[in-house]
Amino acid sequence: MTEDAQARIDAAVKGSDVLLFMKGSPLFPQCGFSSRAIAILDHLNVEYASIDVLQDQAVRQGIKQYSDWPTIPQLYVKGEFVGGSDIMMEMYESGELAQLMQDQGVKVAAA
Amino acid sequence: MPMAADDIAEMIRTAIPDAEVEITDLAGDGDHYAARVVSETFRGQSRVIQQRRVYDALGGRMGGVLHALQLTTAIPQG
């Protein structure tokens, strides 16, 4: 994997409070798991950034190495890897994800 | 090539011997599965660590051959 991709991923992860690596865009998710991740973030009403891995093969492969996690989507909050869509769903249902966002002081999107 | 449910369960049990593994074929096409893995050895581990152990058990197939595997991990109750 290129150093460049790892550096770019690292900068992106550190540059956004809430960052979702996904397939497609929030308006047009290209996979059911990414769609589910977006739905969860929208329900939480938090501000988030997203990166479409389909637009960049180096990032698509590089993120798996960066997080040591084989699937996409992947959620980062304040630079920490939270998990994939299954973990997001479990944490959402139990209220842990909202709590995590609150504890991390993540901005809620304007209504 | 999709994987058979039994093969998935077998790989997980090999890596996590006490695991109870339940595989559901979501779409009936042998390609979209849900797996629920329950193991005492998950106790005290974060969800990320638990799921990573299952992914490791699948030896690099996750995200490739196994694109559509919904995964739930848990600790035995009672």
Side-chain angles (χ1 to χ4, degrees):
Chain A
M1 199 49 52
T2 64
E3 292 291 318
D4 175 52
Q6 292 298 314
R8 280 189 291 137
I9 290 167
D10 193 54
V13 163
K14 289 174 177 154
S16 297
D17 281 359
V18 182
L19 178 63
L20 185 73
F21 289 87
M22 65 178 294
K23 293 180 179 172
S25 68
L27 278 179
F28 296 102
Q30 298 293 312
C31 139
F33 295 97
S34 289
S35 179
R36 198 160 60 134
I38 288 295
I40 291 168
L41 292 175
D42 285 346
H43 274 282
L44 290 173
N45 207 30
V46 292
E47 282 182 10
Y48 62 90
S50 67
I51 290 178
D52 179 2
V53 302
L54 299 179
Q55 301 295 325
D56 191 332
Q57 277 303 315
V59 170
R60 183 176 184 173
Q61 294 311 315
I63 187 60
K64 295 177 184 179
Q65 189 185 63
Y66 182 83
S67 20
D68 185 24
W69 194 258
T71 59
I72 290 157
Q74 297 186 7
L75 178 69
Y76 278 83
V77 175
K78 294 272 172 134
E80 295 289 329
F81 177 58
V82 176
S85 65
D86 295 318
I87 287 177
M88 285 176 71
M89 183 56 89
E90 282 184 67
M91 290 182 73
Y92 172 68
E93 287 175 343
S94 67
E96 285 166 82
L97 197 54
Q99 189 64 49
L100 173 73
M101 299 286 183
Q102 207 175 358
D103 291 350
Q104 294 289 331
V106 169
K107 263 189 232 153
V108 171
Chain B
M1 261 276 285
M3 275 181 81
D6 287 350
D7 294 341
I8 298 171
E10 184 60 35
M11 290 186 85
I12 296 172
R13 285 195 200 98
T14 301
I16 310 172
D18 80 317
E20 277 176 47
V21 185
E22 191 184 308
I23 311 273
T24 312
D25 189 339
L26 295 174
D29 61 358
D31 201 23
H32 296 77
Y33 293 109
R36 180 177 162 80
V37 183
V38 181
S39 167
E40 181 59 39
T41 66
F42 288 153
R43 195 174 295 277
Q45 298 181 329
S46 71
R47 285 195 183 86
V48 166
I49 302 284
Q50 293 174 12
Q51 291 207 3
R52 208 173 254 152
R53 287 183 57 204
V54 177
Y55 290 159
D56 286 347
L58 295 169
R61 286 169 183 78
M62 195 63 209
V65 178
L66 278 173
H67 161 70
L69 178 70
Q70 267 181 43
L71 181 59
T72 316
T73 51
I75 297 157
Q77 298 294 314

